[in-house]
Each structure stands twice: as structure tokens, then as C-alpha cells.
Amino acid sequence: MEKKNLDWSNMGFSYIVTDKRYVANYKDGKWGEGVMTSDSNVVINECAGILQYCQECFEGLKAYTTVDGSIVTFRPDMNAERMMDSAAWLEMPQFPKERFLEAIDLVVSENAAWVPPYGSGATLYIRPYMFASGPVIGVKPADEYQFRMFCTPVGPYFKGGARPLTICVSDFDRAAPHGSGHIKAGLNYAMSLHANIIAHSNGFDENMFLDPATRTYVEETGGANFLFVTKDGEIVTPKSNSILPSITRRSLVYVAEHYLGLKVTQRPVKFAELPDFVECGLCGTAAVISPVGKVVAHDQEICFASGMEEMGPITKKLYDTLTGIQMGTIEAPEGWIRKIL
């Protein structure tokens, strides 16, 4: 199979229309048979629930070309389960796990020419999403929904790759206590856009959101979970009911414990503790793990001893091990890799 003629090594993280995508509709209390289509446009009623009351959830995962030339995905079962959890919280019908995995196989297989080659630094990003397509004018869940999945080749999420980031503590809240912060819904990301634009206009790469109740505990960036390293080499990740359960973060925790033999603690992390850590990273599907060099809170600057110029040693070991598992150069735990081609 011949690959598309693209400059794989210099791709940005942006949308490129590929050949095929998957579509399934929910009507009369059941999901219809899914189909593949070349039409990248979505046509819905002007009163569709997604437009009126933002009933929508989504996922993000990647397909990779491994060292032996295989095309694989990384832990897609966890994306299926997380999307089911998001749908249930939003009073949407759950898309069955097995059908989700079958859709991934179809989308990747029929877009195989768009999967970047091994060693290019690029990957095929897969975006499953579901929205209320049926008309609804009263405040209530819709009766009809559409599940779709498309893919697009992408380069690194942050320009410049794994350079240390400078982030600021946001004056805004990402999610309300007991709210929707733990699900992957578009509404949560919409709430972070204003804060992100302000951060970028002030020269920062990202925001650090604190807990909305007391504004004393670290939560996440809105697009990634935090991971810290102590002077003794212990991994610490923030714990909160309003943090999205990142699949990448959970995978890195497993790698730290079982591959690198590191101690890992998941607990609430006070912002006041940050000067005690020597490394900080942002972890998520898009970036895997990006080092943070500095956190700024108005007139306070916190610089991490390892990571101001390059990725800290522990963060780098985590990154190298997880990407090695994804790319097939390191043996994966059972069930982590789903081979498609």
C-alpha cells in the first residue's frame, strides 16, 4: 500500500481531510448499522440537541506504524469505556464497546495510506464523537443521536516538540465542584477557550487550573493531566473528582511502577507544594508527556530544577518507555496494543 505524498516529519497538529469516516445513527431506542462514507460534512436539523443544549461527548486516540511496519492502536478499549461513561453522564445512549472497536478498525484500515510511517514523528489521530441530532426545544435529552469517527494525520501537539513549557495559573475555573469535569465533553473544553486565549496572549503555553472550591489544589490544564516528580524520584499525580481520567496518565503510572520500578502516589496536590517538585509534565493523548519548566502565578514564579532547558530525566524515561511500547520497540503489557494491519 502506497502512503500519501506528505511531508510527514514537518506536520503540525491540524486537521487534514482523509478518505473515509464512520457514521451510525440512534433512533427509536436503538443504534442503526454503521456505514463508512467519503462525505466529511454533517447535516443536522436547526433545532438539534447539540446546537441547543450542547449534548456531545468525544474521544481522542492514535494509530501508529510500529517498527515492524504494523499499524496498531493503543488501548482503544479504554477510550470506548470512557466514552460510555461520558454518554451516560450526559443522558445519551452508550455506543457499545465492541462496535466502537470495530469502527476504529474500519476507519484506520480504510485510511491506511494516511497513517504516517515509522520514525516520522507523526501519527494518525482518531476522533470518535457523538452528538444529539434530534430536534429538542425544551430542556431535556434528545431522542436521536449520531456517532461519528474520523481520522487525520498529525505532528506534535506543541510546536517545537518536547521543549519545556511555561504555564500560568488561571484566574478562571475549568469545572464546577460535582460538575462535569470528569467526562470528555465538548462543553468542558469550550469553558477553557477564553482562559487559553488570555494565557497565549500573555506569552504562556498553557493554563494550570486549580480546584474551583478552594483554589488551593492543582487540577489539570483542561487538555492534559499533570504529573510531578519529587527529589527522591517519586511520581505524584493530582487526584480529584473533577479531573478527566487520562488514559495516557494512567498508562504512565503503570509504566512508572512496573517498568521503571518507581513509587507512584495519586493524591490531592496543593499548589503550595510545587516548589518541592523537581520535574513537572503534562500528559495526554496528543502530546504523550510534555515537560513544564516554569509555572507563573501573578508575581510568583516556580521553576523546576529538571526541565527548564530540556525534559527532566524521569519524565524522559517515562516518555521513552511509553512511546517505545506504542511503537513496538518495547514489549507491551497484555491487551495494550490492538493490531489493525
Side-chain angles (χ1 to χ4, degrees):
M1 178 209 57
E2 187 175 350
K3 296 288 187 182
K4 297 292 181 179
N5 184 22
L6 298 173
D7 188 2
W8 302 108
S9 297
N10 292 303
M11 300 190 75
F13 197 89
S14 58
Y15 171 68
I16 297 173
V17 182
T18 52
D19 297 331
K20 298 286 186 176
R21 64 273 311 137
Y22 178 93
V23 183
N25 290 295
Y26 180 90
K27 188 175 182 179
D28 298 327
K30 61 183 179 182
W31 285 104
E33 186 176 346
V35 298
M36 296 296 291
T37 177
S38 58
D39 189 355
S40 60
N41 294 308
V42 178
V43 179
I44 53 176
N45 185 277
E46 63 184 352
C47 198
I50 175 59
L51 302 177
Q52 306 308 317
Y53 303 117
C54 206
Q55 253 191 306
E56 182 267 358
C57 60
F58 70 100
E59 275 299 320
L61 65 156
K62 291 178 177 180
Y64 312 83
T65 301
T66 61
V67 67
D68 66 359
S70 301
I71 295 177
V72 306
T73 50
F74 179 73
R75 309 192 78 177
D77 56 314
M78 296 189 75
N79 293 95
E81 292 166 2
R82 188 170 64 179
M83 191 167 189
M84 292 176 73
D85 291 341
S86 297
W89 202 91
L90 290 166
E91 296 299 331
M92 302 169 71
Q94 294 175 316
F95 195 71
K97 179 177 177 179
E98 285 308 312
R99 290 194 59 182
F100 183 101
L101 296 174
E102 289 168 4
I104 288 177
D105 292 351
L106 282 170
V107 169
V108 175
S109 296
E110 296 204 23
N111 292 287
W114 296 91
V115 182
Y118 174 78
S120 65
T123 54
L124 187 76
Y125 190 85
I126 307 165
R127 171 53 56 88
Y129 62 111
M130 186 200 308
F131 57 88
S133 55
V136 54
I137 198 67
V139 181
K140 62 179 182 179
D143 294 323
E144 298 176 12
Y145 297 84
Q146 186 168 110
F147 173 89
R148 297 179 71 98
M149 185 183 296
F150 67 87
C151 62
T152 181
V154 298
Y157 186 75
F158 291 106
K159 292 180 181 179
R163 64 174 178 81
L165 307 174
T166 298
I167 64 177
C168 63
V169 175
S170 180
D171 292 326
F172 300 94
D173 294 330
R174 173 186 163 269
H178 311 296
S180 60
H182 63 292
I183 65 170
K184 201 166 180 67
L187 58 90
N188 289 336
Y189 292 77
M191 296 303 293
S192 71
L193 295 179
H194 181 60
N196 284 349
I197 293 299
I198 290 177
H200 294 162
S201 67
N202 289 324
F204 297 103
D205 296 296
E206 261 289 2
N207 282 294
M208 172 181 281
F209 289 104
L210 303 180
D211 76 287
T214 69
R215 295 191 60 79
T216 56
Y217 292 94
V218 174
E219 297 236 308
E220 60 169 90
T221 67
N225 284 183
F226 280 102
L227 179 148
F228 300 100
V229 181
T230 69
K231 296 181 180 70
D232 299 325
E234 177 186 350
I235 306 294
V236 179
T237 63
K239 184 178 181 181
S240 166
N241 291 332
S242 57
I243 292 177
L244 182 74
S246 164
I247 294 166
T248 303
R249 188 254 302 159
R250 285 179 279 173
S251 300
L252 287 167
V253 163
Y254 184 93
V255 164
E257 292 180 322
H258 298 276
Y259 281 70
L260 303 180
L262 300 172
K263 180 182 178 182
V264 178
T265 302
Q266 301 179 62
R267 61 171 175 79
V269 176
K270 289 186 176 181
F271 177 75
E273 294 181 65
L274 261 59
D276 298 331
F277 297 118
V278 295
E279 295 181 46
C280 172
L282 305 182
C283 43
T285 298
V288 183
I289 183 166
S290 295
V292 175
K294 182 192 298 184
V295 176
V296 178
H298 296 293
D299 58 349
Q300 182 184 8
E301 287 191 356
I302 300 167
C303 297
F304 298 99
S306 297
M308 284 300 294
E309 301 299 329
E310 58 184 11
M311 189 178 283
I314 300 294
T315 305
K316 190 173 191 321
K317 285 180 183 178
L318 289 169
Y319 177 86
D320 289 344
T321 306
L322 187 61
T323 55
I325 290 170
Q326 292 170 337
M327 296 298 174
T329 59
I330 295 175
E331 186 175 355
E334 185 177 354
W336 278 30
I337 302 297
R338 182 180 180 91
K339 185 176 179 179
I340 297 176
L341 292 171

